[in-house]
Amino acid sequence: MKGQVNVVLALLLALIVALLAVANVDKVTIRYLIGETRLPLIIVIFGSAVLGALVVAMLGWVRLFSLQRQLKAALKENEALAARLAEHEQQPSSASLSGDETM
């Protein structure tokens, strides 16, 4: 359900950006540090939206890789603890040995 809500919100945002872009077709001057250029505002709006989406996607990938690394470390630790537990359960405890000797 959450995925469907995200898709609907993304489509709604894309529609808003498209409507803004179509309504603003005038040429604008873009000034860079080393120069300037004139582009239709529609290209500037779409370019900004695409760059914003790429930045968000890259940040999401960084978070995803970080969580995958944490998961891998947690799984290794879980396996090590499970091995220690199995080893501990296989060893006879001193309390059960002392109880057997009194019988």
Side-chain angles (χ1 to χ4, degrees):
M1 184 70 173
K2 183 179 178 186
Q4 292 173 345
V5 171
N6 287 342
V7 168
V8 169
L9 288 176
L11 288 174
L12 185 64
L13 183 62
L15 179 66
I16 290 170
V17 169
L19 289 175
L20 282 173
V22 170
N24 295 293
V25 293
D26 299 334
K27 285 197 174 202
V28 294
T29 301
I30 310 235
R31 291 181 182 87
Y32 303 103
L33 292 175
I34 56 174
E36 66 181 46
T37 187
R38 288 189 55 80
L39 292 172
L41 189 55
I42 190 169
I43 296 201
V44 175
I45 291 172
F46 277 139
S48 299
V50 168
L51 285 175
L54 287 175
V55 167
V56 168
M58 284 186 221
L59 291 174
W61 287 331
V62 167
R63 179 73 175 145
L64 178 68
F65 292 139
S66 172
L67 289 174
Q68 284 178 343
R69 206 171 340 124
Q70 288 177 3
L71 176 62
K72 196 178 286 187
L75 288 174
K76 275 186 179 179
E77 183 180 357
N78 189 20
E79 289 175 6
L81 289 173
R84 283 183 55 196
L85 179 63
E87 180 183 306
H88 179 69
E89 287 176 346
Q90 288 177 354
Q91 293 177 352
S93 65
S94 59
S96 66
L97 287 178
S98 63
D100 289 340
E101 292 174 0
T102 57
M103 287 187 175

